[in-house]
């Protein structure tokens, strides 16, 4: 059974930094595309960043240059380093993994950017 568990969310001031972590179990993590999505109140869940098994990354335009996604296959983990945070980054952040033929989600972690 595949499980994804996020950690690292919290309250941060505008301009601050935060790092999210996600640990996967029950899968061949190194083979899979993994990444992060977010959902703000009243809005749809949207892609933030993804990383392939080969290390190729993809970012939403709104976070390019501020967020960095990375993975450690030895630890079955994916990370999201967030810098220069803005109030509009406030959302529940979800870890995502695609393992054929379906995707899997973590339970989500709240990130609030506010002074």
């Amino acid at each position: 059974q595949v499980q994804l568990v996020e950690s690292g969310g919290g309250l941060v001031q505008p301009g601050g930094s935060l790092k999210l972590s996600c640990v996967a179990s029950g899968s061949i993590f190194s083979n899979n595309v993994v990444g992060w999505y977010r959902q703000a109140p009243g809005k749809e869940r949207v892609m933030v960043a993804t990383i392939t098994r080969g290390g190729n990354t993809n970012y939403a335009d709104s976070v390019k240059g501020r967020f960095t996604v990375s993975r450690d296959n030895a630890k079955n983990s994916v990370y999201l380093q967030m810098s220069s945070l803005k109030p509009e980054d406030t959302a529940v952040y979800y870890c995502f993994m695609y393992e054929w033929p379906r995707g899997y989600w973590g339970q989500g972690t709240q990130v609030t950017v506010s002074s």
Side-chain angles (χ1 to χ4, degrees):
Q1 183 178 358
V2 176
Q3 284 191 318
L4 303 173
V5 179
E6 303 103 333
S7 62
L11 174 65
V12 62
Q13 292 186 341
S17 298
L18 207 59
K19 185 175 183 178
L20 305 182
S21 301
C22 173
V23 179
S25 60
S27 72
I28 306 175
F29 180 83
S30 60
N31 286 351
N32 301 327
V33 174
V34 292
W36 297 89
Y37 283 65
R38 68 186 181 187
Q39 187 168 18
K43 296 188 177 181
E44 295 184 349
R45 191 175 299 187
V46 296
M47 187 274 290
V48 176
T50 60
I51 183 168
T52 68
R53 63 180 182 176
N56 293 320
T57 57
N58 186 37
Y59 295 94
D61 288 343
S62 59
V63 306
K64 283 180 180 177
R66 300 189 299 121
F67 290 11
T68 302
V69 62
S70 60
R71 65 191 295 165
D72 185 338
N73 292 334
K75 296 182 178 179
N76 282 3
S77 295
V78 58
Y79 309 98
L80 186 67
Q81 177 67 53
M82 303 183 292
S83 303
S84 302
L85 282 160
K86 305 174 181 179
E88 51 264 43
D89 294 318
T90 295
V92 177
Y93 284 71
Y94 294 92
C95 179
F96 171 81
M97 181 176 70
Y98 180 78
E99 182 172 83
W100 189 91
R102 57 163 288 187
Y104 296 87
W105 298 93
Q107 80 285 356
T109 186
Q110 177 70 45
V111 172
T112 302
V113 184
S114 175
S115 55

